[in-house]
Amino acid sequence: VLSIINSLNIYICNLTIGKNKYKDVEDEVINIKKKNEELRNKTLNIIDEDGQILDKILKTYKTRKEEPKKYEEACKNGVEFCYNVVELSIETLSLANELEKIGNKMLSSDFKICKKYAFTSVEAGIINVEINLESVNDEKYKENIKNKCKDALNLAEKLK
C-alpha cells in the first residue's frame, strides 16, 4: 500500500511541477517528489523482507518449546520490521501533508486519499507490531515498543 501512496504523491507532484500557479513552491514540490521516490523504492524492497521475516517466525515457531530464545528473537525481528513500516508510513503521511499545503489544488481528493491510506498504514503496522509482541517475554522491550507505537500514533493523528 505504501508504494501506491508514494506513487500517488509523485503523481500529484508531477501535476504541480511546471504550472505557473505553483512556480513559487516548485523547488519544494521537487524535493517532496524525490523523497517520495526514495520511499517508494524502500517500500517496494520491504515486500521481500516481509516474506523472509515471516518465514523465520514460522520456522522457529515449530521449535519454540525446544529453542524459545530463537523464537523470541524471530518475533522481535518481526516487531522491528513492522515498526519500520510504521515509521515509513509516518514519513509518507508527513510528505502527503506537506504536499497538500502547496500542491495542485485540483487534486484535493488525491491529497485526502494519500493521507487516509498512510494513516491506515500506520495503524496496520501497529497491529502487526502488537501481534508479534504477544510472543515476546522481554517486558522492558515490550513496554519500550508499545510507547514508541503510542507516540507514532499520536504523531500520525496530528498529521492526518
Side-chain angles (χ1 to χ4, degrees):
V1 172
L2 283 175
S3 57
I4 294 169
I5 302 165
N6 284 295
S7 294
L8 184 53
N9 276 341
I10 293 165
Y11 169 78
I12 293 167
C13 290
N14 287 337
L15 292 176
T16 304
I17 296 167
K19 304 284 188 260
N20 286 334
K21 186 176 180 178
Y22 301 101
K23 252 328 181 207
D24 304 7
V25 295
E26 188 165 297
D27 289 341
E28 287 175 76
V29 174
I30 289 169
N31 189 40
I32 290 170
K33 179 182 175 184
K34 287 178 185 174
K35 289 178 182 177
N36 273 285
E37 288 170 339
E38 290 169 10
L39 279 170
R40 181 183 59 193
N41 290 337
K42 283 182 186 178
T43 58
L44 287 171
N45 290 332
I46 64 173
I47 293 169
D48 291 334
E49 188 180 347
D50 183 33
Q52 293 167 359
I53 288 185
L54 179 60
D55 191 46
K56 181 96 175 187
I57 290 171
L58 293 175
K59 284 180 182 174
T60 58
Y61 178 80
K62 293 175 184 176
T63 60
R64 70 189 181 285
K65 290 180 181 171
E66 298 83 24
E67 300 178 287
K69 295 230 185 268
K70 277 189 178 181
Y71 178 61
E72 183 166 354
E73 191 60 38
C75 290
K76 282 183 176 181
N77 288 338
V79 166
E80 298 299 327
F81 172 80
C82 294
Y83 188 75
N84 182 47
V85 171
V86 170
E87 289 178 325
L88 292 171
S89 300
I90 288 175
E91 280 185 69
T92 300
L93 177 57
S94 180
L95 289 171
N97 195 41
E98 286 180 48
L99 190 55
E100 181 180 35
K101 294 173 186 169
I102 63 173
N104 189 327
K105 300 303 177 210
M106 296 291 292
L107 305 167
S108 64
S109 65
D110 295 308
F111 297 125
K112 290 175 183 168
I113 290 167
C114 286
K115 289 173 68 172
K116 182 73 165 176
Y117 283 161
F119 182 80
T120 301
S121 292
V122 170
E123 292 178 312
I126 290 171
I127 288 168
N128 284 323
V129 165
E130 291 169 346
I131 288 168
N132 285 298
L133 275 179
E134 289 175 7
S135 299
V136 174
N137 294 317
D138 183 341
E139 291 301 323
K140 186 176 178 183
Y141 176 83
K142 287 169 77 167
E143 191 62 34
N144 181 46
I145 293 294
K146 286 178 183 179
N147 286 332
K148 287 171 69 173
C149 286
K150 183 179 174 186
D151 292 344
L153 188 58
N154 287 336
L155 177 57
E157 285 280 352
K158 289 177 186 171
L159 292 171
K160 79 171 188 177

